[in-house]
Amino acid sequence: MQVTAQNTKPESLILVIFGGSGDLTKRKLVPSLYQLFKQGKLPHRFAVLALGRTDYTDDSYRPHLDEALQMYLAEGEYDASLAEQLLSSVYYLAMDPAEQSDYPRLVERLSQLDKQIDNPANYIYYLSTPPLLYGVVPQHLKHVGLNSEEGGALRRIVIEKPFGYDLASALELNEIYRSAFQEHQLYRIDHFLGKETVQDIMALRFANGIFEPLWNRNYIDRVEITAVENMGIESRGGFYDQTGALRDMVQNHLAQLVALTAMEPPVQFNADLFRNEVVKVYQSFRPMSDDEVRRRVIRGQYTEGEWRGELHRAYREEDKVAGNSRTETFVAMKLYIDNWRWQGVPFYIRTGKMMPTKVTEIVVHFKPTPHKMFTSLDGGTVPNQLIIRIQPDEGISLKFAAKVPGSGFEVKKVSMNFTYDQLGGLASGDAYSRLLEDCMLGDSTLFTRSDAVEMSWRFFDPILRLWQEDDFPLYGYPAGTWGPKQSDLIIERDHSWTNPCRNLTNSELYCEL
Ligand code: BG6
């Protein structure tokens, strides 16, 4: 596999953020821009134009971002003078992104800024708005000619997830984007792909000779992928109740993790070849009949429960959530990949809010030895597992059996561990910085291509449709637990989910890698 040549960054650029007063801008985008600025990675002549309906001016907007930087940068990272320098290149335009008649004002403001920073109309648009606007903005941009790269201007658009509400709306959105932009201008962002540890799945698999020969149905028994969180929905009730865990986490983030774990090695590491392999994985997801969905997919919603000694309210009691909501905050499912490599190997994936801890990890379970010669102190056969911990305590751990010293021949489970902090440079907020930088560089490898969105929806859409039927169970689970018990039943034989935390009753959770 070869990594293709580096793309180049433009000399000048305006980043136009739709949804300038929104949560994502404050929590992620501006802190990421700060990181890039600090590392000297922004173009020489650079400005941000944030848009929104709130009536800010440049001067009244900047202090909000300054506050956000102080709140969301990691401890010790905030430097007042650096923040001031960055924020002096941030501008605000009060406009309604849904109103076509507001766009000429955008054109005008952009051309003023172009003159100010000597920018040849290079723009990156970032859609950090409610998903309802995803279809509207590109059409309005096209109407005023802000989509076109004619004359050599750089025009790219970054779209947040979820891209589509179901298959039909995703297809429709793809159509709208195709009519206004070309695929190379589109950057559908999935911030999981910006995580170092997610990218490292490819290094682990394709930069090492030892794992790949084992990475198939002959040696792997099953794969588990868990991405759970110990928080509820915080202030996002309005969005979340319309979305649910499947659209928020499974159709995109978890599907990407499955793809990276299961994909064939691309011939070169470039946008087209890498994403071709992702699409092939999605194409191989075995469709489920209604009956299989009922047996293999479990959805849940958190009820009132205790977490670290505090009572957390039920999902239905959260702000802006319907009192009789049937939106899922937990999903677990078993899926199969119908191809040569993975035939018959179950992939168990799950995600949930208000679980005992926040952890994202992939557990690859290898098949046991064909014949048991030694007694294991852990009981049964010592499992051989490769655990890829995406976050927190990022690392990789290999579990195997070793002889217990002394007489006799007993064995016990031991672990070989690698932790990323040995390498340094793994700062929080990195995912968005990395992806913003890639977008400036014109490298779309880590962004989702239209055919991948479509293929992923083709698999998940029938599940959502079946869920609309009243009799499809929605199981409650008390906040602070590992989800509905029914999710244990989808795992075959005598196996169970690998729940990585112990000492749940103590105030200090201990996450074992
Ligand atoms: C986002 C979801 O995409 O990912 C959130 O909308 C979720 O609901 C978040 O909390 C999890 O991301 P991370 O990087 O914190 O694991």
Side-chain angles (χ1 to χ4, degrees):
M1 184 161 67
Q2 293 170 5
V3 178
T4 44
Q6 289 285 303
N7 303 35
T8 51
K9 204 169 288 171
E11 282 293 304
S12 68
L13 178 74
I14 299 176
L15 175 67
V16 184
I17 302 180
F18 287 80
S21 43
D23 209 44
L24 184 80
T25 304
K26 285 188 259 174
R27 273 175 191 271
K28 301 284 186 189
L29 298 185
V30 175
S32 301
L33 285 172
Y34 177 92
Q35 303 284 4
L36 292 173
F37 180 60
K38 189 172 159 188
Q39 295 159 21
K41 288 183 168 174
L42 291 178
H44 297 309
R45 301 190 303 281
F46 178 73
V48 174
L49 178 61
L51 317 174
R53 284 184 307 180
T54 316
D55 228 357
Y56 292 122
T57 60
D58 297 343
D59 288 337
S60 64
Y61 180 60
R62 288 175 187 149
H64 287 278
L65 297 191
D66 191 51
E67 231 171 74
L69 286 175
Q70 295 183 45
M71 194 177 302
Y72 298 116
L73 282 173
E75 219 180 306
E77 289 249 24
Y78 176 79
D79 176 310
S81 90
L82 217 58
E84 199 185 334
Q85 282 176 55
L86 172 68
L87 296 181
S88 66
S89 53
V90 174
Y91 303 87
Y92 187 86
L93 175 67
M95 65 169 266
D96 183 351
E99 277 303 322
Q100 190 171 300
S101 55
D102 276 7
Y103 281 68
R105 285 199 297 119
L106 172 60
V107 176
E108 198 183 315
R109 187 72 196 269
L110 282 171
S111 60
Q112 275 168 10
L113 284 175
D114 284 343
K115 287 194 196 104
Q116 201 173 310
I117 66 162
D118 187 18
N119 178 42
N122 289 339
Y123 309 135
I124 291 182
Y125 312 107
Y126 197 113
L127 257 67
S128 163
T129 63
L132 267 181
L133 290 177
Y134 291 177
V136 178
V137 174
Q139 301 185 62
H140 291 345
L141 287 173
K142 181 181 175 191
H143 194 77
V144 289
L146 284 175
N147 60 327
S148 161
E149 290 193 311
E150 244 170 68
L154 173 161
R155 302 282 162 86
R156 295 177 188 145
I157 184 162
V158 185
I159 312 119
E160 267 295 332
K161 52 147 275 281
F163 193 88
Y165 187 75
D166 52 17
L167 176 62
S169 57
L171 290 177
E172 195 183 326
L173 266 187
N174 268 342
E175 229 14 79
I176 292 174
Y177 277 91
R178 272 193 212 112
S179 71
F181 292 92
Q182 296 173 46
E183 187 69 38
H184 76 266
Q185 296 174 278
L186 301 177
Y187 290 75
R188 295 175 194 80
I189 200 164
D190 180 325
H191 79 278
F192 265 47
L193 281 181
K195 293 178 192 283
E196 285 290 343
T197 44
V198 171
Q199 294 160 28
D200 190 58
I201 299 170
M202 285 175 284
L204 175 82
R205 292 191 51 201
F206 306 136
N208 295 295
I210 51 173
F211 300 111
E212 204 48 28
L214 307 178
W215 212 261
N216 57 53
R217 63 188 302 275
N218 297 324
Y219 300 100
I220 292 179
D221 182 70
R222 63 193 188 279
V223 177
E224 256 181 85
I225 301 182
T226 291
V228 295
E229 295 174 272
N230 53 10
M231 15 175 253
I233 48 159
E234 301 194 303
S235 55
R236 299 163 76 216
F239 160 79
Y240 198 89
D241 208 34
Q242 301 299 316
T243 306
L246 193 136
R247 293 184 179 93
D248 188 42
M249 291 290 292
V250 180
Q251 182 271 335
N252 29 65
H253 301 326
L254 284 178
Q256 288 283 5
L257 294 182
V258 174
L260 293 182
T261 309
M263 74 198 289
E264 296 302 316
V267 175
Q268 286 184 1
F269 191 62
N270 71 25
D272 272 338
L273 297 179
F274 167 73
R275 297 188 297 177
N276 286 349
E277 297 306 331
V278 171
V279 172
K280 284 187 211 161
V281 176
Y282 294 164
Q283 280 169 331
S284 321
F285 283 173
R286 185 188 300 170
M288 286 189 251
S289 65
D290 288 1
D291 185 45
E292 283 164 339
V293 173
R294 287 179 188 280
R295 281 186 285 117
R296 295 186 191 156
V297 184
I298 301 295
R299 63 172 176 168
Q301 187 189 79
Y302 62 83
T303 55
E304 187 181 78
E306 203 180 290
W307 190 82
R308 289 197 180 195
E310 275 180 29
L311 202 62
H312 191 93
R313 61 185 165 177
Y315 174 73
R316 288 179 182 176
E317 306 295 321
E318 301 275 15
D319 294 340
K320 299 195 185 148
V321 168
N324 59 353
S325 171
R326 289 185 63 77
T327 299
E328 77 289 355
T329 59
F330 173 95
V331 179
M333 75 173 72
K334 172 161 84 174
L335 56 90
Y336 287 98
I337 296 173
D338 273 342
N339 64 17
W340 202 269
R341 187 189 283 265
W342 293 112
Q343 192 54 242
V345 179
F347 279 67
Y348 297 101
I349 62 178
R350 74 181 158 163
T351 184
K353 298 273 186 203
M354 282 317 299
M355 310 288 280
T357 187
K358 178 170 172 78
V359 65
T360 302
E361 72 177 20
I362 300 169
V363 184
V364 179
H365 297 263
F366 291 93
K367 290 188 171 166
T369 52
H371 172 59
K372 192 176 157 199
M373 286 164 61
F374 307 118
T375 309
S376 158
L377 288 189
D378 306 300
T381 310
V382 172
N384 285 156
Q385 298 165 336
L386 185 73
I387 302 184
I388 304 170
R389 172 66 65 78
I390 306 292
Q391 61 188 19
D393 306 327
E394 292 81 359
I396 298 172
S397 168
L398 185 66
K399 312 276 185 195
F400 56 99
K403 181 184 172 299
V404 178
S407 57
F409 245 101
E410 284 172 328
V411 295
K412 81 186 289 294
K413 182 170 154 186
V414 294
S415 184
M416 259 182 345
N417 292 337
F418 154 71
T419 57
Y420 275 92
D421 50 21
Q422 295 165 24
L423 296 180
L426 202 71
S428 65
D430 268 350
Y432 275 89
S433 308
R434 164 71 199 248
L435 294 173
L436 276 172
E437 192 190 3
D438 280 4
C439 179
M440 291 178 197
L441 287 166
D443 182 352
S444 53
T445 310
L446 299 176
F447 293 81
T448 313
R449 210 168 57 189
S450 56
D451 49 353
V453 171
E454 197 176 317
M455 287 319 302
S456 164
W457 271 120
R458 282 194 190 284
F459 178 73
F460 291 109
D461 183 88
I463 300 173
L464 285 172
R465 267 188 288 120
L466 201 62
W467 282 0
Q468 282 164 13
E469 290 182 12
D470 289 341
D471 69 333
F472 198 100
L474 169 71
Y475 299 105
Y477 62 96
T481 65
W482 281 103
K485 289 204 176 44
Q486 286 78 1
S487 67
D488 294 334
L489 305 178
I490 62 174
I491 300 216
E492 285 161 336
R493 304 191 290 271
D494 54 349
H495 302 312
S496 57
W497 291 99
T498 310
N499 291 340
C501 281
R502 302 195 297 205
N503 299 348
L504 294 183
T505 49
N506 292 350
S507 57
E508 275 305 300
L509 283 184
Y510 171 58
C511 277
E512 183 201 16
L513 183 67

